[in-house]
Amino acid sequence: MKELIKGRISSFQTLGTLDGPGVRFVAFLQGCPLRCACCHNPETWDINGGTEYTAKEVAEKAERYKEYFSKDGGITISGGEPLLQAEFTAEILKLCKEKGINTCLDTSGSILNEKTEKLLDYTDYCMLDIKYTTDSQYRRYVGCGINKPLEFLERLNDKKIPTRIRQVIIDNLNDDTDNIRRLAEIVRKYPCIEKTELLAFRKLCASKYQKLGIDFPLAGTPETPQYKIKLLEERIVQILRS
């Protein structure tokens, strides 16, 4: 009898509309190797936290909502960082695909090895964070070099996996046109990228840090106004069309 693959999950969200195409069942996996300054889910950092599930249990949970997914929806594996539990993530995605459920991976792209390569075989769609466009900012505010997500993006492109690039826009860090120009150059290079999404920095997570007794690195940074997001979105479209 095949051994059931187990992993740790922080929480689930049913009928989510912000975590990939369509309506989606979202599993937030436990554990993350990064310490992003703008992280909204610090409770997911500890790999030993959360609750243990088998991949089969997660796939069965997602299947309960299949009638709501329609053509575009499905399951999204988020985190934390799902690549940190690559075998568990791969098994969930595999089982869901066998049930006819569209699969989406929401990741920082910070881990690329044989195990993470395998899970891409079961990934229909990817939401990849390109948090900054300079290596120095990546190392200071994320905890890895920019080469990591770009290498992961190369593999997504090689495998022709439809990809959405996401970036949180933060005051005085990446809210300038130089960053947008560099981001546009990245997007232009990879045909697998079908959408670029700019997100406004918010501080709703501050209470989580306080509860965990952790300093929130961007506590003093103002939230990003929506008009600035709109201006930068227009700018990136202009660059890509030029």
Side-chain angles (χ1 to χ4, degrees):
M1 182 177 178
K2 183 180 177 181
E3 181 180 353
L4 293 175
I5 295 178
K6 297 179 180 179
R8 304 196 71 83
I9 288 182
S10 176
S11 63
F12 296 102
Q13 180 183 2
T14 59
L15 309 183
T17 57
L18 302 175
D19 300 277
V23 175
R24 310 196 75 85
F25 176 86
V26 188
F28 295 92
L29 270 60
Q30 196 70 30
C32 185
L34 305 178
R35 292 296 179 266
C36 300
C38 65
C39 180
H40 273 209
N41 300 313
E43 73 279 8
T44 66
W45 291 351
D46 182 5
I47 188 66
N48 297 310
T51 304
E52 188 176 74
Y53 290 87
T54 66
K56 183 173 183 289
E57 287 173 328
V58 178
E60 288 174 347
K61 279 180 175 288
E63 189 176 24
R64 296 173 198 166
Y65 300 91
K66 188 176 179 180
E67 64 180 290
Y68 299 101
F69 296 156
S70 189
K71 180 173 70 73
D72 297 322
I75 186 172
T76 295
I77 308 298
S78 185
E81 176 48 70
L83 300 181
L84 198 59
Q85 298 190 62
E87 291 177 302
F88 180 52
T89 298
E91 186 68 7
I92 296 171
L93 299 179
K94 178 176 179 289
L95 291 172
C96 284
K97 282 185 71 68
E98 289 173 356
K99 296 176 183 293
I101 298 173
N102 177 275
T103 62
C104 174
L105 177 70
D106 182 3
T107 179
S108 67
S110 61
I111 304 172
L112 185 60
N113 54 38
E114 185 177 336
K115 292 179 180 179
T116 58
E117 287 266 3
K118 182 178 178 181
L119 70 82
L120 292 180
D121 292 338
Y122 310 113
T123 301
D124 294 320
Y125 192 90
C126 184
M127 301 211 302
L128 176 66
D129 292 340
I130 299 293
K131 299 173 187 292
Y132 303 95
T133 54
T134 68
D135 189 65
S136 59
Q137 285 186 317
Y138 247 93
R139 293 186 184 280
R140 179 174 179 181
Y141 298 107
V142 178
C144 71
I146 194 173
N147 61 303
K148 295 291 187 179
L150 292 183
E151 287 171 2
F152 196 83
L153 180 54
E154 287 275 4
R155 296 303 296 128
L156 292 171
N157 196 61
D158 291 343
K159 290 179 174 289
K160 296 180 172 59
I161 296 173
T163 300
R164 181 188 305 183
I165 297 298
R166 296 197 301 177
Q167 186 175 95
V168 176
I169 299 300
I170 305 169
D171 182 68
N172 208 34
L173 285 184
N174 61 357
D175 62 338
D176 56 273
T177 54
D178 286 342
N179 170 69
I180 293 302
R181 189 177 298 110
R182 290 189 295 265
L183 184 61
E185 288 307 311
I186 292 171
V187 171
R188 197 194 303 271
K189 186 178 177 182
Y190 298 99
C192 70
I193 299 173
E194 66 168 35
K195 183 175 182 179
T196 304
E197 185 176 17
L198 304 182
L199 305 171
F201 169 66
R202 295 287 181 260
K203 293 193 284 189
L204 293 172
C205 59
S207 59
K208 294 183 179 181
Y209 284 85
Q210 187 175 19
K211 183 178 179 180
L212 293 168
I214 304 171
D215 289 334
F216 181 30
L218 300 181
T221 301
E223 294 189 340
T224 308
Q226 201 58 43
Y227 78 85
K228 181 171 285 188
I229 297 296
K230 185 177 180 181
L231 288 173
L232 294 177
E233 286 176 338
E234 291 172 353
R235 181 60 181 146
I236 198 169
V237 169
Q238 290 171 355
I239 295 171
L240 290 172
R241 287 177 177 173
S242 64

